[in-house]
Amino acid sequence: MTENAAPDTEAVLADSPKNWGKWGPDDEVGSLNYLGPQEAVRGAAAIVSGESFTLQVPMGDPGGDPVWPGREPIQRQNIMDEGFFQRGEGDETPGGAHYADDKATIFLQASTQYDALGHVWIGGKIWNGFDATETVGEMRKASVLPIAQKGIVGRGILIDMARHRGKAHLDKGETFTHEDLLEAAKAQGQEIEPRDVLLIRTGFIGHWYETTPEDFYADFCEPGLTYSPELVEWFQQMEIPNLVTDTIANEVTMDPNHGVVLPLHSALMRNLGVTFTEIAWLDDLAAACAADGRWTFLYTAAPLKVVGGTGAPVNPVVIR
């Protein structure tokens, strides 16, 4: 290891707790097991006004889509429309109705999306101890499909870290801890409860639409939660089933203490089975919550049922 090389993530997380086997040897949805009918009812009890908000960002925005470096936005094209019919290339049907059709090539994690629990691993093992060879060719274990089949319904709570720190958006590489979350929740007059779906606004995805891609990706290091043993222990004790943020990867890109890239993907998702929802649009929801001081709501979501997928697009719906 060179002088400035980061330590191995497995070594950093050597004493990190695991929920492997907690829900049986074949489990593929992890901490979503915490969300049952009782949690759905608890979430529904948070509805007051009936306002609804959708949390997916647009796919194929003319100005570009926020994606992880190396991924590409959706490539969509029409394969049938009125132009085809006017050129005599349309498939005429009895009765004369015309139609439009299209197709798309997409990175399944290039929009608001759920990660499969097997998306990231260390030490040759994915969630629940399944061997990493189960990812070869397709995700045969811990894919996004079981998450999509179960669906997510529970009480959500939004913690607006950007607003708490008096900013439109957090800066690149800016970090916060679970203690900061608790402080922000207190300032909002709220309490994070066990089994809450935890939504955190940094303002960073909103910033994408206000700046240039060159500025957004320059010295790329998203703001977000940063690893500590105490943070992981807090997530486990609170039985948090789902972490939702308005960043591309749900945590600070490079841990400032160890230099490890995305350690919470292993500490929370791989080890505890916490589902990750990334690239969520939270600005409109945050504005409504700030206006009337209500930061809890019914959170519902179901990613697309992609067989063998490492992730899948999703359009969560919040009702408050």
Side-chain angles (χ1 to χ4, degrees), residues 46 112 150 179 190 201 203 208 221-222 272 276:
T112 310
K150 177 175 174 54
E179 293 177 340
Q190 304 293 313
R201 178 179 174 269
W208 160 266
C221 186
E222 290 191 294
L272 297 186
F276 277 21

Side-chain angles (χ1 to χ4, degrees), residues 14 23 61 98 166 194 199 213 220 230 238 286:
W23 297 285
D61 188 278
H98 291 181
L199 286 71
F220 185 75
E230 294 78 15
M238 292 295 291

Side-chain angles (χ1 to χ4, degrees), residues 137-305:
E138 65 174 349
M139 304 286 294
R140 291 181 296 278
K141 294 290 187 181
S143 78
V144 76
L145 181 61
I147 293 172
Q149 291 171 324
K150 177 175 174 54
I152 301 93
V153 182
R155 192 185 94 137
I157 183 168
L158 174 62
I159 305 300
D160 194 338
M161 287 304 303
R163 192 178 304 270
H164 178 63
R165 292 184 174 178
K167 299 180 175 183
H169 62 85
L170 299 188
D171 300 327
K172 291 181 179 181
E174 185 172 350
T175 63
F176 49 90
T177 68
H178 64 292
E179 293 177 340
D180 294 319
L181 293 178
L182 294 173
E183 180 182 296
K186 183 177 181 180
Q188 292 175 188
Q190 304 293 313
E191 181 179 354
I192 303 172
E193 297 181 359
R195 303 191 176 186
D196 276 348
V197 176
L198 179 58
L199 286 71
I200 305 173
R201 178 179 174 269
T202 68
F204 205 64
I205 288 300
H207 176 57
W208 160 266
Y209 295 99
E210 298 172 346
T211 188
T212 64
E214 292 76 17
D215 175 69
F216 186 85
Y217 288 114
D219 302 317
F220 185 75
C221 186
E222 290 191 294
L225 284 168
T226 187
Y227 166 77
S228 73
E230 294 78 15
L231 179 138
V232 177
E233 182 66 26
W234 181 80
F235 264 82
Q236 187 180 46
Q237 290 180 350
M238 292 295 291
E239 299 183 341
I240 300 296
N242 190 179
L243 174 63
V244 182
T245 78
D246 61 347
T247 61
I248 299 173
N250 269 13
E251 58 178 303
V252 66
T253 306
M254 181 173 290
D255 175 73
N257 298 314
H258 301 95
V260 171
V261 172
L262 304 180
L264 292 180
H265 274 64
S266 294
L268 298 182
M269 185 167 63
R270 172 200 183 251
N271 288 357
L272 297 186
V274 177
T275 49
F276 277 21
T277 311
E278 298 161 334
I279 321 181
W281 177 253
L282 300 178
D283 286 11
D284 294 337
L285 174 62
C289 291
D292 61 15
R294 291 190 293 109
W295 298 88
T296 60
F297 36 77
L298 176 67
Y299 176 92
T300 65
L304 298 182
K305 294 183 177 180

Side-chain angles (χ1 to χ4, degrees), residues 1-198:
M1 185 171 72
T2 62
E3 182 178 352
N4 295 320
D8 186 81
T9 303
E10 192 172 13
V12 173
L13 303 182
D15 298 322
S16 194
K18 293 184 178 70
N19 282 335
W20 294 5
K22 181 171 184 175
W23 297 285
D26 299 319
D27 178 74
E28 299 179 75
V29 298
S31 291
L32 290 184
N33 284 289
Y34 293 132
L35 295 180
Q38 184 175 351
E39 297 307 318
V41 171
R42 188 170 70 94
I47 299 174
V48 175
S49 66
E51 297 172 275
S52 61
F53 295 83
T54 59
L55 306 186
Q56 186 182 21
V57 299
M59 299 178 71
D61 188 278
D65 299 346
V67 299
W68 184 257
R71 294 176 182 156
E72 298 176 357
I74 184 173
Q75 303 296 316
R76 191 207 64 81
Q77 68 178 90
N78 276 15
I79 60 171
M80 186 61 61
D81 54 38
E82 181 59 23
F84 286 81
F85 288 99
Q86 292 184 4
R87 294 191 301 270
E89 300 171 0
D91 183 16
E92 295 287 357
T93 60
H98 291 181
Y99 65 97
D101 203 355
D102 52 8
K103 67 177 182 179
T105 299
I106 65 172
F107 280 72
L108 289 173
Q109 298 182 48
S111 179
T112 310
Q113 52 90 21
Y114 270 80
D115 281 347
L117 289 185
H119 170 50
V120 173
W121 62 90
I122 52 178
K125 300 291 183 182
I126 63 175
W127 158 251
N128 214 24
F130 298 123
D131 196 273
T133 57
E134 297 289 355
T135 70
V136 176
E138 65 174 349
M139 304 286 294
R140 291 181 296 278
K141 294 290 187 181
S143 78
V144 76
L145 181 61
I147 293 172
Q149 291 171 324
K150 177 175 174 54
I152 301 93
V153 182
R155 192 185 94 137
I157 183 168
L158 174 62
I159 305 300
D160 194 338
M161 287 304 303
R163 192 178 304 270
H164 178 63
R165 292 184 174 178
K167 299 180 175 183
H169 62 85
L170 299 188
D171 300 327
K172 291 181 179 181
E174 185 172 350
T175 63
F176 49 90
T177 68
H178 64 292
E179 293 177 340
D180 294 319
L181 293 178
L182 294 173
E183 180 182 296
K186 183 177 181 180
Q188 292 175 188
Q190 304 293 313
E191 181 179 354
I192 303 172
E193 297 181 359
R195 303 191 176 186
D196 276 348
V197 176
L198 179 58

